[in-house]
Each structure stands twice: as structure tokens, then as C-alpha cells.
Amino acid sequence: MYILENYSSPERIANMNIKSYELLKSRSKGKFTTSDFAQLKLLAKNTVGSPSAFLLSEMNIILDIYSQMDAKVQELEEQIISLVNGMNPPMLSIPGIGHMSAAVILSEFGDFNNFNNASKLLSFAGLEPGYYQSGTAEHSGRMVKHGSSHLRYTLMNCCIPLIRSDIVFAEYYAKKRAEGKPYRVALTHVVKKLLRVIYAIQTKNVLYDPTLIR
């Protein structure tokens, strides 16, 4: 976005200098390397793209629309963060759960006291295995994903930094992997453990303490 806004034509990109590179390196926090810079300049120099003034004007209009939408998204996110701060949910004390994740979890579940136990919470999220009975046979199948996929996606994303920063969840994840469970299956087990912890601290209104769930 920065390149398109400040070096809009192929000619301007091809003629970027060392000062341009330093700015790009700074904005990318060092991820934009000299090799990337050289390749970008070469591609711009040999591009078959059109330098038409009309197309460049059209691109600038699109960039302006994007900028306005991005500003509105940021404004809404600030409002969401403010609302979550006002609620001050105990789940924010769990590593890996930020304000936006907490907002999704809270909006999906509502009042946690409406659930009799953690199993009801798992069922609501679609994280309990399917079960059916036929005659004397009992079968347990795959996860019944009748809940919100957005909720499950958010919980999965919370668990990735959680198993990196919290020893209790890291050990639990390692245990499931050692049992031969694939990555996503092991991560699903971590999600279910996380939901049980969330239910406990939300209904008891206490902060997360890893020493209490070892």
C-alpha cells in the first residue's frame, strides 16, 4: 500500500533510490530486504503493465476508498476495545486472548452463567463429538460443527500463541501430539481445554492462574 501510494507508476518504482529503500525497510520493520528491493525495481523496469494516466488515476481512487474503509474499521475496533475494557472479562488474563478475540467469544456465548457446565459450552461451540446409538451399538463420530465457525476459528487462533507462552497448555498440547494426534486434532483438544478454563474463570470471576489447572 505504501509503495502504491507513494510510487504509483512503474517508472517511479524502477527509479527508487537508497533513501526509498531505507523508508521501505523502516515501514516493514526490516522485513523488506535489499534483495526484495532490487527485484522490485527490476520487475518494475521490465513490466508489461500500462503506465496510462487514466489507470493510475483509477488506482488512486481505489486506494482512497480503501483508506476510508480502513479508517472506519479502525474506528469500530477502537469502540469494540473500549466496550471490552468496560466489561473487563477475566478471560483477558489468559495469554493469547486479546480484546478482539474476547469480543468474539463474549458476543457468541453471551452470559456464561446461562450454561450449566463447561460441556454445554463446548456443545454450543460445536466442539463435542457426534454420538448416536443403534440397538446395542454405540458410536462416537467426528466433531458436530453446528456452532459458529467464526468462534472456532477465533479460539484456534488464541491457542497458537497460548501454547507458545503458557507451560500448562504447552505441555497439554505436547502430550496430545505424543499420543499420535495430528496437529489440528491436538489443537482442537487445546481449544476444548481453553474453553473449560474460560468457563471457570468467567463464572467465578477470577483471573487465570496456571498453577490451579496443572
Side-chain angles (χ1 to χ4, degrees):
M1 290 295 293
Y2 175 80
I3 292 170
L4 291 176
E5 288 172 350
N6 293 275
Y7 305 92
S8 53
S9 69
E11 183 181 6
R12 292 188 65 187
I13 293 174
N15 291 327
M16 287 192 299
N17 55 29
I18 187 64
K19 184 178 179 181
S20 304
Y21 169 68
E22 291 300 330
L23 287 169
L24 289 170
K25 182 180 178 182
S26 174
R27 292 188 70 88
S28 69
K29 298 180 180 178
K31 294 180 181 179
F32 193 79
T33 66
T34 53
S35 175
D36 294 329
F37 185 62
Q39 185 180 16
L40 178 63
K41 284 168 61 69
L42 181 64
L43 288 169
K45 189 177 294 185
N46 298 315
T47 184
V48 295
S50 171
S52 160
F54 169 75
L55 291 176
L56 291 176
S57 176
E58 183 180 36
M59 182 183 72
N60 286 330
I61 291 171
I62 293 171
L63 288 172
D64 185 53
I65 292 171
Y66 176 87
S67 179
Q68 292 179 48
M69 292 177 67
D70 188 52
K72 181 57 67 175
V73 168
Q74 290 183 38
E75 180 185 328
L76 291 172
E77 286 184 349
E78 288 172 4
Q79 291 179 24
I80 291 170
I81 290 171
S82 177
L83 287 169
V84 172
N85 278 333
M87 298 172 72
N88 194 27
M91 72 174 76
L92 281 178
S93 62
I94 301 174
I97 297 184
H99 289 80
M100 299 308 292
S101 298
V104 172
I105 296 168
L106 288 166
S107 63
E108 292 286 351
F109 287 116
D111 187 350
F112 286 85
N113 289 304
N114 289 333
F115 297 87
N116 295 330
N117 51 54
S119 294
K120 298 287 186 182
L121 207 69
L122 292 172
S123 179
F124 181 86
L127 290 167
E128 285 288 62
Y131 171 85
Y132 66 93
Q133 188 176 43
S134 174
T136 57
E138 296 181 0
H139 304 272
S140 137
R142 295 182 178 181
M143 292 299 164
V144 182
K145 297 186 177 178
H146 56 260
S148 166
S149 59
H150 185 45
L151 172 61
R152 287 192 296 273
Y153 177 79
T154 299
L155 290 167
M156 284 280 192
N157 279 345
C158 289
C159 285
I160 295 171
L162 179 59
I163 59 179
R164 291 175 183 164
S165 59
D166 185 276
I167 187 64
V168 174
F169 282 91
E171 289 177 348
Y172 185 72
Y173 170 75
K175 175 187 174 185
K176 293 301 176 182
R177 290 289 278 161
E179 292 172 358
K181 291 180 170 54
Y183 168 73
R184 286 192 65 82
V185 174
L187 199 61
T188 299
H189 280 279
V190 176
V191 169
K192 293 197 284 186
K193 185 178 181 71
L194 172 61
L195 268 182
R196 292 187 186 98
V197 171
I198 289 174
Y199 178 78
I201 66 175
Q202 285 290 141
T203 53
K204 295 176 182 177
N205 196 30
V206 296
L207 297 180
Y208 172 66
D209 184 352
T211 63
L212 298 178
I213 61 170
R214 280 186 173 278

